Amino acid sequence: MAELWQTLIYYFQFPLVQYALIVSLLIALCSSLLGVTLVLKRFSFIGDGLSHVAFGAMAVSASLHTVITIENDMILVLPITVLSAIFLLRTSQNAKIKGDALIAMISVGALAIGYLLMNLFSNSANISGDVCTTLFGATSILTLTISEVWLCAIMALLVIIIFILFYHKIFAVTFDENFATATGVNANAYNLLIAIITALIIVLAMNLVGSLLISALIIFPSLSAMRIFKSFQSVIICSSIISVICAGMGIILSILYSTPAGATIVVADIAVFLLFSLVSCFMTKRAHA
Amino acid sequence: MAMQLQCKNLVLGYEKNIILQDLNFTVSNGDYLFILGENGSGKSTLMKALLGLNAQISGEINFCGDTNKNQIGYLPQQTITQKDFPASVREIVQSGCMNRCGLRPFYNKQEKQLALDMMEKLEITHLAKRCYRELSGGQQQRVLLARALCSARKMLLLDEPVTALDAKATHEMYELIANLNKKDNMTIIMISHDIQASVKYASHILHIGGKQLFYGSKIDYMNSKVGQAYFSSSGGDIYG
Ligand SMILES: Nc1ncnc2c1ncn2[C@@H]1O[C@H](COP(=O)(O)OP(=O)(O)OP(=O)(O)O)[C@@H](O)[C@H]1O
Ligand SMILES: [Mg+2]
């Protein structure tokens, strides 16, 4: 135990480790904030599709490295993902097109194209390693560069501020979109806002858990919170606390046992979900007794 | 009296299937309009079109004067049944104040007070912290009514507001709405199958069934063929 503690202290002497932890906590906070809305609006599948698009965009950016130098992959990944988010939202609202089929097409297509591009153009020696990193997150969060850390921190803060400012509107639009529209609230604009923030969060979270595991980071904390809490506000607060704690635990465990950070965080989220499900079962049993 | 809402040659339907046509009516400040018609005649469709939730096939719906959608309250017919939505009664009633906020991010003191007052009015104050989905149908209806009252400043549209309410609550509900109509000069548009209530409270009646069967004042309706046929077929006693 003392030895583990020593290791931990040793690692946290490095500023980059500290930054990485802070950024992970911020990302976890953001993704849980919006998770509740995405789950309730049945948008979680959009999040899943978007994460694959982000992977494809990442691959495009990586293969462009051979032609031009790109300071930061996000310059390309971010706009592509945001545009796809807007597109997916538009089509899912249009009842005439089979929205779910289209999303499946786009997300699988993006995966295939991304993998192909990486194989064709990447000059890296370890392609499958690169692919694995993009899909499941860096094996160690410590490989984040300082510019990525700053960009993440700024975007995360932006998302949190937007969420707080639009909290009541997001609630109104999530709870009853028809009522909001009928009484003159511009629900479409807020849906658009939600889609854009989702895209931001997905691009952010890609660094932490990789594109395949993002949905878990978004939905697990909110599903856990919804097991026990019954008001929107308490669910939001609870899910952000769960998410932050799980991310912190996951990072620390991954450093101690050198496990992949993303997967460790998601496993922590799953454990909390199971725990909360048990507690809620127990509570309903008691209520009936 | 100032005109608030005008429908001209309105045709409504879903995907080219025409459900209602030839709608021509106006609603003025302080009117109390009852919309009557059989099940499936398109009453809810009409109300949704007025609110901009459904597009019309052709014709015009115009809000006139200084009335705009930010001053409208709405009670939908179906209560929202999203299964596990976590929302407390207070959060829902407060969300009715949303259209007063504009771009302001948070509710101000008056708006919070308004939500409390409306909960008081509908006797759901003791439910404020309860989860909406765990309430009974009648309680849920009161919550949505309180929300509608929060958002209504000039006009209130109600789609069968009393269906889930018990006799006492129904009576109180009608009195409450009549009071809003008289004291606050709130325009009311109500869909109902309750003939007695229409006779007692309405100022105007719109009777639909495929097209506009009747539009006019209550007195004219009671003396019209359509009105008398409707009353006798539904066994109502007009003068009761
Ligand atoms: N979303 C929809 N898509 C297609 N048709 C619809 C839709 N909603 C309603 N309809 C049809 O439109 C017609 C009118 O429906 P509407 O709900 O307006 O009736 P209503 O007058 O409100 O009836 P009720 O008294 O039962 O509430 C019905 O025949 C119904 O089948
Ligand atoms: Mg109806």
Side-chain angles (χ1 to χ4, degrees), chain B residues 44 77 159-160:
Chain B
S44 300
Q77 178 173 23
D159 197 340
E160 307 199 13

Side-chain angles (χ1 to χ4, degrees), chain A residues 107-128:
Chain A
S107 66
V108 180
L111 269 183
I113 293 172
Y115 186 53
L116 193 68
L117 281 176
M118 275 189 149
N119 271 283
L120 283 182
F121 295 106
S122 174
N123 47 9
S124 146
N126 180 11
I127 294 175
S128 48

Side-chain angles (χ1 to χ4, degrees), chain B residues 13-131:
Chain B
Y14 295 92
E15 318 252 325
K16 303 261 149 56
N17 284 333
I18 292 178
I19 286 169
L20 262 175
Q21 51 193 342
D22 296 333
L23 289 171
N24 284 289
F25 63 92
T26 57
V27 180
S28 303
N29 213 344
D31 278 3
Y32 194 144
L33 175 70
F34 261 71
I35 302 180
L36 302 175
E38 296 166 8
N39 287 139
S41 56
K43 303 180 298 296
S44 300
T45 306
L46 170 60
M47 187 166 278
K48 284 184 193 152
L50 295 180
L51 291 163
L53 298 175
N54 288 347
Q56 64 258 42
I57 292 178
S58 65
E60 289 176 33
I61 300 173
N62 298 317
F63 283 96
C64 334
D66 56 353
T67 312
N68 65 44
K69 286 185 68 194
N70 282 327
Q71 298 159 327
I72 289 179
Y74 169 49
L75 177 78
Q77 178 173 23
Q78 259 99 29
T79 54
I80 311 109
T81 45
Q82 197 167 342
K83 228 187 113 250
D84 16 82
F85 203 108
S88 71
V89 168
R90 193 174 154 185
E91 286 176 318
I92 294 169
V93 175
Q94 248 176 18
S95 75
C97 300
M98 190 86 269
N99 64 356
R100 296 169 188 251
C101 291
L103 279 177
R104 173 160 42 83
F106 305 106
Y107 298 119
N108 64 24
K109 261 208 186 108
Q110 288 94 320
E111 285 155 0
K112 284 182 187 158
Q113 189 56 45
L114 180 71
L116 291 179
D117 291 347
M118 291 309 164
M119 289 198 288
E120 192 72 41
K121 237 180 195 167
L122 288 161
E123 296 170 20
I124 48 173
T125 309
H126 61 291
L127 301 173
K129 292 215 167 97
R130 287 280 298 278
C131 175

Side-chain angles (χ1 to χ4, degrees), chain A residues 40 42 164-165 167-169 171-172 174-176 178-179 181-185 226 229-233 235, chain B residues 53 69-70 72 74 80 82 85-88 91-92 98-99 102 104-107 131 133-134 147 151:
Chain A
L40 292 170
R42 308 284 184 262
I164 293 174
L165 286 181
Y167 167 79
H168 288 293
K169 276 150 184 123
F171 171 77
T174 312
F175 180 69
D176 191 347
N178 273 350
F179 179 83
T181 312
T183 56
V185 175
M226 278 158 63
F229 290 93
K230 302 289 169 67
S231 79
F232 195 70
Q233 194 178 16
V235 165
Chain B
L53 298 175
K69 286 185 68 194
N70 282 327
I72 289 179
Y74 169 49
I80 311 109
Q82 197 167 342
F85 203 108
S88 71
E91 286 176 318
I92 294 169
M98 190 86 269
N99 64 356
R104 173 160 42 83
F106 305 106
Y107 298 119
C131 175
R133 65 169 195 262
E134 289 172 356
R147 177 183 69 168
S151 60

